[in-house]
Amino acid sequence: MSKPIYVLSGPNLNLLGAREPEIYGHQTLEDVQRLCEARASALGCSIVFRQSNHEGELIDWIQEARTEGSALVINPAGYGHTSVAILDALKAVGVPVVECHLSNPASREAFRHQTYVSLAATGTVSGFGAASYELAIEAAAGLVGEASK
Ligand code: DQA
């Protein structure tokens, strides 16, 4: 069995469903986790799904994915726009990185138009709500498959 795809979510995403539902939708993070697990199992892979409000904890998990994961899907939330430390961790991770966002940051306030994470990601899926996570897992699984050819 190959290593799991790490699916990490950053700050405030524990409040999904209650937080600005007009932007982020009505599904909770648990709902998103269930969708991700179903999509991963349909693709024949497994996931590790975690959320933290703390930058250092996210960095610890990115470093864990270096040795324990096959790829990394990350919704960095607000840290995407601010954290050089998360970018540095992603640059060292050595497995494919796919960035994902529920909303489409490019169509929102100017300060959301750039993310540091994009500099380390193969690609980004944004704007599709919970489906952004599923599509990102599909992309990550494809990158793992490519890498093993
Ligand atoms: C987000 C977009 C970010 O700009 C924002 O800070 C978030 C969530 C998204 O999933 O759409 O917290 O990453």
Side-chain angles (χ1 to χ4, degrees):
M1 183 92 179
S2 61
K3 292 176 178 176
I5 296 170
Y6 274 59
V7 182
L8 303 183
S9 297
N12 302 306
L13 292 170
N14 54 314
L15 297 180
L16 271 188
R19 171 194 182 204
E20 300 181 274
E22 65 288 357
I23 296 175
Y24 298 115
H26 292 275
Q27 283 166 307
T28 65
L29 192 62
E30 268 184 21
D31 295 332
V32 175
Q33 178 168 0
R34 271 193 289 275
L35 288 171
C36 288
E37 281 165 354
R39 179 62 66 108
S41 110
L43 292 163
C45 48
S46 62
I47 58 168
V48 167
F49 190 96
R50 295 185 190 151
Q51 184 274 334
S52 179
N53 292 327
H54 304 280
E55 189 176 23
E57 189 162 41
L58 289 164
I59 290 168
D60 287 344
W61 291 341
I62 293 166
Q63 292 187 6
E64 185 181 308
R66 242 180 110 236
T67 54
E68 306 305 317
S70 59
L72 180 66
V73 168
I74 184 165
N75 181 351
Y79 283 142
H81 311 299
T82 63
S83 178
V84 174
I86 287 179
L87 169 62
D88 288 344
L90 291 171
K91 283 195 155 174
V93 76
V95 296
V97 175
V98 180
E99 179 178 7
C100 91
H101 299 276
L102 297 147
S103 68
N104 180 4
S107 67
R108 299 178 61 194
E109 304 97 316
F111 65 84
R112 295 186 204 274
H113 293 180
Q114 298 220 334
T115 81
Y116 287 106
V117 167
S118 294
L119 297 171
T122 301
T124 302
V125 184
S126 40
F128 301 102
S132 290
Y133 277 78
E134 295 179 80
L135 294 166
I137 287 170
E138 196 155 341
L143 292 169
V144 173
E146 281 299 311
S148 67
K149 272 185 194 157

